[in-house]
Amino acid sequence: DQQVKQNSPSLSVQEGRISILNCDYTNSMFDYFLWYKKYPAEGPTFLISISSIKDKNEDGRFTVFLNKSAKHLSLHIVPSQPGDSAVYFCAAKNTGNQFYFGTGTSLTVIP
Amino acid sequence: GAVVSQHPSRVICKSGTSVKIECRSLDFQATTMFWYRQFPKQSLMLMATSNEGSKATYEQGVEKDKFLINHASLTLSTLTVTSAHPEDSSFYICSAFIRGGSVRTEAFFGQGTRLTVV
């Protein structure tokens, strides 16, 4: 049973525009949500996180929004750059520090 | 930032043999490490939680006798795939969790191991 879902397997945006990646989850007990960037045959690298007690966290070009009532989070990248092209995974952490990942969204930023 | 080193990065083994994958936290102590598996074009699936000095906790559907996990020290966890078969071919990744002084929470990941069973 997939507790974290990313329904868009791929996304293409023009350089300079906004990229919006979406993620839904089912377990209301998750206490932290994170976004990771991953290149093929490499481990994921941390991008940005948000506590379940917040609804927004911003770090430079990256902003994560959390809507707890909808069990939905999103990652906004603005402006998008070609170097942002990668697979993005959202992850949710439970109080046991176990992470559950979505299936990933492949972002392509077109120059 | 914290570093998690995973070795080997690639391994090819014959069907029926066993393969050991190591995961080390290089600059911090990790009481808990996690093992994930990724099939092509699929998500990272949590296999088990490795606790230093105690038995690992396996996710539902993961065979603990096939995927042996040992966490003998605060900096090393190992995953041994026993009697490997071609369907065990996958990308295996370990991670260690750090809780920072702020509200930031991160898991650091190893580089991953590509296992191919022939």
Side-chain angles (χ1 to χ4, degrees):
Chain A
D1 181 33
Q2 193 77 21
Q3 297 190 51
V4 179
K5 298 178 182 179
Q6 293 173 257
N7 293 319
S8 298
S10 63
L11 174 68
S12 292
V13 298
Q14 208 70 34
E15 181 179 4
R17 307 293 284 267
I18 184 171
S19 297
I20 300 176
L21 296 93
N22 294 301
C23 180
D24 298 292
Y25 62 95
T26 57
N27 188 343
S28 58
M29 300 305 292
F30 288 136
D31 62 355
Y32 254 94
F33 302 89
L34 308 92
W35 284 93
Y36 287 85
K37 188 175 178 180
K38 185 181 182 299
Y39 295 106
E42 292 183 11
T45 54
F46 172 80
L47 201 57
I48 191 169
S49 65
I50 187 168
S51 164
S52 61
I53 62 173
K54 296 192 172 184
D55 54 19
K56 177 182 176 182
N57 187 27
E58 189 173 351
D59 184 1
R61 297 186 297 114
F62 303 92
T63 303
V64 56
F65 296 91
L66 176 63
N67 183 334
K68 285 187 67 177
S69 60
K71 294 191 177 67
H72 177 85
L73 68 155
S74 61
L75 173 68
H76 293 208
I77 306 173
V78 57
S80 301
Q81 299 173 353
D84 296 330
S85 298
V87 177
Y88 289 79
F89 287 92
C90 72
K93 184 187 82 65
N94 63 18
T95 53
N97 296 333
Q98 296 169 319
F99 289 74
Y100 294 87
F101 287 83
T103 47
T105 297
S106 178
L107 172 66
T108 302
V109 180
I110 304 164
Chain B
V3 177
V4 174
S5 176
Q6 190 172 336
H7 177 81
S9 58
R10 289 180 180 271
V11 58
I12 300 173
C13 70
K14 290 185 177 180
S15 186
T17 62
S18 296
V19 174
K20 181 185 284 187
I21 302 170
E22 292 187 348
C23 180
R24 293 181 184 273
S25 56
L26 297 186
D27 52 1
F28 65 98
Q29 293 182 331
T31 55
T32 304
M33 290 186 177
F34 304 91
W35 288 95
Y36 297 84
R37 181 177 180 176
Q38 185 183 27
F39 292 102
K41 298 184 179 180
Q42 293 191 27
S43 178
L44 292 160
M45 299 298 294
L46 177 65
M47 297 175 65
T49 302
S50 168
N51 300 298
E52 186 268 337
S54 65
K55 291 183 178 180
T57 304
Y58 291 81
E59 294 297 298
Q60 190 173 10
V62 178
E63 299 176 61
K64 57 183 177 182
D65 294 331
K66 180 166 189 62
F67 299 100
L68 300 179
I69 291 173
N70 183 278
H71 195 154
S73 76
L74 289 171
T75 59
L76 174 64
S77 175
T78 61
L79 168 68
T80 302
V81 183
T82 63
S83 187
H85 289 99
E87 57 265 30
D88 298 325
S89 298
S90 189
F91 191 61
Y92 294 86
I93 302 176
C94 68
S95 78
F97 173 80
I98 289 182
R99 180 177 290 278
S102 67
V103 297
R104 193 179 188 194
T105 302
E106 295 181 28
F108 292 91
F109 290 83
Q111 306 94 317
T113 298
R114 169 70 62 192
L115 170 64
T116 304
V117 184
V118 298

